[in-house]
Amino acid sequence: MPPPADIVKVAIEWPGAYPKLMEIDQKKPLSAIIKEVCDGWSLANHEYFALQHADSSNFYITEKNRNEIKNGTILRLTTSPAQNAQQLHERIQSSSMDAKLEALKDLASLSRDVTFAQEFINLDGISLLTQMVESGTERYQKLQKIMKPCFGDMLSFTLTAFVELMDHGIVSWDTFSVAFIKKIASFVNKSGMDISILQRSLAILESMVLNSHDLYQKVAQEITIGQLIPHLQGTDQEIQTYTIAVINALFLKAPDERRQEMANILAQKQLRSIILTNVIRAQRAINNEMAHQLYVLQVLTFNLLEDRMMTKMDPQDQAQRDIIFELRRIAFDAESEPNNSSGSMEKRKSMYTRDYKKLGFINHVNPAMDFTQTPPGMLALDNMLYFAKHHQDAYIRIVLENSSREDKHECPFGRSSIELTKMLCEILKVGELPSETCNDFHPMFFTHDRSFEEFFCICIQLLNKTWKEMRATSEDFNKVMQVVKEQVMRALTTKPSSLDQFKCKLQNLSYTEILKIRQSERMNQEDFQSRPILELKEKIQPEILELIKQQRLNRLVEGTCFRKLNCRRRQDKFWYCRLSPNHKVLHYGDLEESPQGEVPHDSLQDKLPVADIKAVVTGKDCPHMKEKGALKQNKYCIWTDGLNALLGKDMMSELTRNDLDTLLSMEIKLRLLDLENIQIPDAPPPIPKEPSNYDFVYDCN
């Protein structure tokens, strides 16, 4: 007969005694269980004791997390969190260096536990640590030369404890003094600083910038890009990661008017080439956190283009009009005529109109009007000028080559450039805040100071090449753009290491190759668009959607382990959520490590009735996400779909659309197997007329 579900068999340790095997009744108060354990070892004052996990986590057992105890768990009887916090609060103020060091080491370890952290913070422990950093370390700086290892360890443990305590989100970051910020900044600015102190100082600065606007301003006054650059030139990837994280935080929180200035400083300090040499092309693998920080830097850099992308051209602005004149001059090398007579003016206007038509503008008389749509706004004109100046031969070749074709076969350079710029901005998500979880950085964008412009130059030549391969006419413009987008997207997924490698990938993705890929991935497009197939899809679709809905709900019932994101985005803790089998309640709770298999409902202490859920919001619609950016939803769309299904709403995620397309395609292929090589008519065959009599019917009776 299996033991009752509320009884858990554990082993409990106590220093100097044999471990005790014990059955814990989860229905009894925790204090009663602790008293029973203390009585077994004849220990008085049971209220001064607590139970904790005997593994490396050493986390305290509380009423809230006691359901996590499993059969066979090893626990340890120890002093209570309040007692421990009081003792450590006194010990870290000891006049003995050795005692102080040992106490800080214990504090750094125990501060990871939220139960202990709350007790220590209640004793104003955070303030004590900041005072020690601000002034307490000064006492020992004279001893640093003769006791450097001891001093370094002491400061390292102090900062570690501070970081762990702040990560629980109990204390606001706005409470810290300028003196503390200056001290932390000095550890970063000082050369030859201990690695562990440097790493924790960078982590503190990043959290300050991300979590407080006032602290951002103070940190920005103390830290310069020039002081951070040397940390990227070392070999420690963790230090490099935290350094880029601080740069990203300063970049992200900078006012709009300061971002371009900061970008100019980054360019002057050659940040891009330093990252390329010392991080991306270093002889070691890039871990996930570094990949995330490189992705964030890539997004923030491209977002500097948003202002130009959303700026309309002013047709009356002569400086802007001069850019168009320059495009014409480079293409046709036209010399301005000094004669200002009315006759020559008319001739000049006629010549300009003809040339602007050759350049592929929609508005031949006033091409400035082509740049009044946002996006891409003035960014398209910037790209065209860059291409004309830095790739002049290719620019002239494309313009002259197309101007010599028949009107309907020319690839309009102006219109193509505008649409291509808009498309590239969509692909790179220019203007969107970086995702909290994405690691999708592209090494090739770190190989050039003007990577977006070079990206455009490669793609505009690809567009012209694809246009010729497709033998396109003006009516095919949108089809060509769709093919070019597919070529670019497929090349980007291979993560080319340089722009030249990206160009080579595109060379192998000709229009013919794209057609082959499309053919291998799906049935002939014409068959899918025929009327009978569309009607069949319409009939099958509700069944497929119901199948997807059931799969989503089954996944919710199984449950999912999620990584918790703290204020510094370090994904080192977990929480688990699952739906009850009757689809009425969501059970969730914190975990210390990723579980192997399902987590039972009774071990998840928190509950949320489905009836209490009013709506599901994602990304920028989430109030708590507005400051941090839009959380990329791909990883969680099974849950957003499932929750929407529970609420009786449509499943709108991209994953649902992809699943629907895949399953519909498979089902249709299966149903059409018997009709292979048979032409399906667009219209159903006519129903024959009724026979004149039914004498041919055989009567079984």
Side-chain angles (χ1 to χ4, degrees), residues 628-674:
K628 290 189 174 182
L631 179 63
K632 193 179 179 80
Q633 295 301 317
N634 289 351
K635 185 178 179 183
Y636 306 106
C637 51
I638 286 177
W639 273 84
T640 58
D641 284 343
L643 292 173
N644 278 321
L646 286 172
L647 299 178
K649 298 181 179 179
D650 292 336
M651 300 179 291
M652 303 298 291
S653 75
E654 185 178 347
L655 183 63
T656 290
R657 290 194 295 272
N658 292 340
D659 286 350
L660 181 61
D661 289 343
T662 302
L663 293 172
L664 271 175
S665 174
M666 291 172 62
E667 183 66 21
I668 288 173
K669 286 178 181 178
L670 286 171
R671 295 196 182 198
L672 298 181
L673 278 177
D674 292 337

Side-chain angles (χ1 to χ4, degrees), residues 207-267:
S207 293
M208 286 179 171
V209 172
L210 289 176
N211 290 283
S212 169
H213 178 69
D214 289 340
L215 288 185
Y216 154 73
Q217 294 176 318
K218 293 170 183 175
V219 171
Q221 293 172 356
E222 299 297 327
I223 294 287
T224 66
I225 300 300
Q227 291 163 327
L228 292 171
I229 292 292
H231 301 314
L232 292 172
Q233 296 171 318
T235 57
D236 190 299
Q237 189 171 115
E238 191 172 17
I239 294 298
Q240 292 174 327
T241 302
Y242 277 97
T243 301
I244 297 176
V246 173
I247 293 172
N248 286 338
L250 290 168
F251 214 146
L252 185 64
K253 293 299 180 180
D256 291 342
E257 64 274 9
R258 278 271 298 144
R259 284 184 186 169
Q260 189 58 57
E261 179 185 338
M262 188 174 175
N264 295 337
I265 295 171
L266 295 178

Side-chain angles (χ1 to χ4, degrees), residues 587-605:
H587 300 263
Y588 63 97
D590 292 342
L591 300 176
E592 293 308 321
E593 58 184 21
S594 183
Q596 302 297 320
E598 292 184 12
V599 176
H601 293 95
D602 54 10
S603 66
L604 301 171
Q605 59 272 22

Side-chain angles (χ1 to χ4, degrees), residues 439-466:
N439 301 335
D440 190 25
F441 83 97
H442 294 278
M444 73 177 194
F445 291 130
F446 290 85
T447 63
H448 202 285
D449 288 330
R450 304 288 294 275
S451 60
F452 184 79
E453 290 87 343
E454 289 292 325
F455 185 42
F456 168 84
C457 293
I458 293 171
C459 293
I460 193 65
Q461 294 177 76
L462 167 72
L463 193 154
N464 192 64
K465 172 175 171 285
T466 302

Side-chain angles (χ1 to χ4, degrees), residues 18 41 73 117 126 129 141 169 173 192 235 237 256 283 300 313 408 424 436-437 441 476 482 532 554 577 616 638 682:
Y18 287 109
W41 275 312
T73 300
I126 294 280
L129 292 179
Q141 294 215 350
W173 282 93
T235 57
Q237 189 171 115
D256 291 342
Q283 298 300 312
L300 295 176
M313 185 171 186
K408 69 173 185 177
L424 298 182
E436 291 281 353
T437 56
F441 83 97
D476 300 319
Q482 289 171 4
N554 289 340
C577 186
V616 179
I638 286 177
D682 287 337

Side-chain angles (χ1 to χ4, degrees), residues 42 99 105 110 139 221 251 280 390 410 438 441 460 504 529 542 560 596 603 612:
S42 303
K105 182 178 179 181
L110 283 167
R139 306 173 194 167
Q221 293 172 356
F251 214 146
I280 296 174
H390 294 83
E410 68 174 1
C438 184
F441 83 97
I460 193 65
C504 291
Q529 297 305 317
T560 306
Q596 302 297 320
S603 66
D612 290 350

